[in-house]
Amino acid sequence: MAGLAASVRPLLIGGERSWTVTDTAGLPIVPAERYLAFLRSDDRSPNTVRSYARGLAEWWTVLEASGVAWDGLTRTVFGDFLAYLRTGDLPGVDRIGPVPQRLAPASVANRAAAVLAFYTWAAAALNITQPRQMLYQRSTRRHHSYLPMLTGVVPATDRPAPVFRLRVPNKSRTPLLTPGQVRTILDGCAILDPAGDGWRPNLAGLRDRFLFALLAESGMRLGEALSLRHCDIHIGAGGTPWVEVVPRQDHPHGVRNKSSRGRDIYIGADLEGLYSAYVWELIDAGIDVQVADVANHFVFVNVGGQPLFAPMRAKSVYARVRALTRDHRAALPPDWTPHWLRHTHATALLLAGRPVHVVMRRLGHLDVQTTLSTYGWVTEDAEMRALANWKSYVAGWKGIHDDQPA
């Protein structure tokens, strides 16, 4: 965004990386920074702060081009803002030729949501209410003869709705990986030496195989996996092994657990064996010498670069994703991400006939409706059941029973 009225700049706060919005002179834009400071104090993730900072930077760019003060805006300027997000054309710019698409609808909605949230905060925290009144209107619901059962008992809610309604195309299906594609990902990281001499090619490959296998066979989010400590993985007790997902917000690279509630996830013997092999390789590499308390140290760590055994970054995982995609172009979707493994896990469980409430607990959703909204199409699509090996793929996940906690 060089040369525009505002830009997003990184900064360090208490040793943690965060983001702010600056003007053309490189100085923080005070109202935007106050709101971002509120988000940081509310323990929002660095990714959320960065996303909202981007939206506010683009908003201030349009305000500057329009000559409108941030606390005295009109609906017209917000419409200009949406046009700028979609096309890149600032107010007063006349385009000759076809209009390009600058941002996808989902990105436009994300940037606009940041601005709407900012003015909601300004109304509550600064008592600057005019902008929010301009951007929101009272809901005008039609009256029907039918009345809910609790009408007159529970207070009615009349929440104001944004004047500009942004419609994001509905994705009726979540992106999935087939069992064969999951196998390609795992084998692309590391494979067992046919001569029986352990996993090859190296410790980094074994670590990555364990990470992707864990995501596929537990349904964990990437942030949850990268936040794991060795004490969270319970094996060797004679019963079904399990992973304890503990809500933590202390990863040095800003990785966060999305859920504020913990849960136990039962895993199979294959994943238990893979973790054991990984731990032995870590010990062989000297982690017990360099790390004072291995049990409470991060599971996924640097094993090739420096600093050695430091917590692994999410961007390192995505670098591995890009490398796997490049090496297996014919087998893997070009846009797959680690989160697809979570979707695949949930889909496979539903196809195997697991109850929705069990899948909900395993994924860490707060309610069944979230699970149904995301994966409800699975049980309705008969064609999905024709995919080869779905049930045998799920059968390898030992210890997933309806009568056990998820």
Side-chain angles (χ1 to χ4, degrees):
M1 295 182 61
L4 298 181
S7 61
V8 178
R9 298 289 176 86
L11 70 161
L12 290 176
I13 297 179
E16 183 173 331
R17 187 179 180 88
S18 191
W19 306 87
T20 191
V21 180
T22 61
D23 58 21
T24 52
L27 299 175
I29 295 175
V30 175
E33 170 53 28
R34 290 185 66 180
Y35 176 59
L36 296 175
F38 161 75
L39 294 179
R40 289 190 287 267
S41 66
D42 197 36
D43 204 26
R44 304 295 180 89
S45 74
N47 288 335
T48 298
V49 175
R50 179 174 59 178
S51 175
Y52 275 45
R54 285 175 175 170
L56 293 177
E58 306 224 51
W59 172 241
W60 250 269
T61 295
V62 173
L63 289 177
E64 180 69 21
S66 304
V68 176
W70 75 271
D71 55 354
L73 60 97
T74 64
R75 290 177 180 175
T76 301
V77 73
F78 194 79
D80 292 337
F81 171 61
L82 297 179
Y84 169 65
L85 295 176
R86 294 179 178 122
T87 68
D89 293 338
L90 286 168
V93 174
D94 295 325
R95 173 175 293 278
I96 299 176
V99 177
Q101 178 177 330
R102 178 171 176 264
L103 295 177
S107 297
V108 172
N110 180 271
R111 303 288 200 275
V115 175
L116 293 173
F118 165 73
Y119 282 111
T120 299
W121 167 82
L126 307 179
N127 199 30
I128 299 176
T129 59
Q130 184 271 342
R132 190 174 188 276
Q133 292 172 354
M134 295 296 297
L135 295 176
Y136 283 85
Q137 62 184 357
R138 287 291 175 184
S139 176
T140 56
R141 300 177 180 175
R142 295 180 179 177
H143 294 282
H144 299 278
S145 57
Y146 166 79
L147 293 177
M149 182 181 69
L150 296 181
T151 297
V153 178
V154 178
T157 58
D158 186 20
R159 297 180 179 177
V163 174
F164 295 86
R165 296 193 177 186
L166 302 174
R167 292 179 173 83
V168 179
N170 181 37
K171 293 182 179 180
S172 59
R173 299 190 179 193
T174 50
L176 304 174
L177 295 162
T178 66
Q181 290 170 335
V182 175
R183 180 59 55 190
T184 296
I185 293 169
L186 300 184
D187 290 347
C189 295
I191 59 174
L192 273 174
D193 191 323
D197 193 22
W199 291 90
R200 293 291 181 268
N202 51 35
L203 175 55
L206 177 58
R207 175 203 62 194
D208 295 343
R209 181 182 178 108
F210 174 58
L211 172 61
F212 290 129
L214 179 66
L215 297 178
E217 297 186 27
S218 71
M220 294 176 65
R221 302 177 179 92
L222 178 60
E224 293 172 337
L226 293 182
S227 298
L228 284 176
R229 274 46 163 199
H230 288 282
C231 60
D232 298 331
I233 301 180
H234 303 270
I235 64 173
T240 302
W242 81 93
V243 177
E244 183 180 2
V245 180
V246 180
R248 295 190 180 99
Q249 312 295 338
D250 59 351
H251 196 284
H253 303 309
V255 173
R256 300 293 183 98
N257 283 354
K258 183 177 180 180
S259 175
S260 59
R261 301 193 307 176
R263 66 189 189 279
D264 295 338
I265 302 177
Y266 289 86
I267 59 175
D270 293 342
L271 195 59
E272 178 185 19
L274 191 59
Y275 170 67
S276 298
Y278 171 55
V279 170
W280 279 115
E281 291 288 344
L282 284 175
I283 294 175
D284 191 53
I287 190 173
D288 56 328
V289 176
Q290 295 197 36
V291 176
D293 186 4
V294 176
N296 288 290
H297 195 57
F298 291 91
V299 172
F300 297 102
V301 295
N302 293 341
V303 294
Q306 295 296 328
L308 191 62
F309 305 128
M312 189 177 185
R313 296 174 181 265
K315 70 177 186 180
S316 299
V317 179
Y318 280 92
R320 185 62 158 169
V321 167
R322 291 191 295 271
L324 288 168
T325 306
R326 182 180 60 250
D327 295 341
H328 303 278
R329 296 179 188 275
L332 297 177
D335 56 346
W336 75 278
T337 71
H339 204 69
W340 285 31
L341 293 165
R342 175 176 167 87
H343 293 324
T344 300
H345 177 81
T347 299
L349 290 180
L350 290 171
L351 287 174
R354 300 297 180 187
V356 175
H357 72 276
V358 173
V359 179
M360 175 203 75
R361 295 200 308 268
R362 191 167 176 87
L363 296 179
H365 288 160
L366 294 178
D367 56 69
V368 170
Q369 188 56 50
T370 301
T371 310
L372 289 174
S373 298
T374 308
Y375 305 106
W377 64 273
V378 171
T379 55
E380 300 173 1
D381 192 337
E383 293 182 5
M384 284 297 299
R385 297 184 181 276
L387 275 175
N389 299 326
W390 272 114
K391 288 199 173 183
S392 61
Y393 184 53
V394 181
W397 302 339
K398 308 292 193 303
I400 306 176
H401 302 300
D402 295 350
D403 57 347
Q404 289 181 334

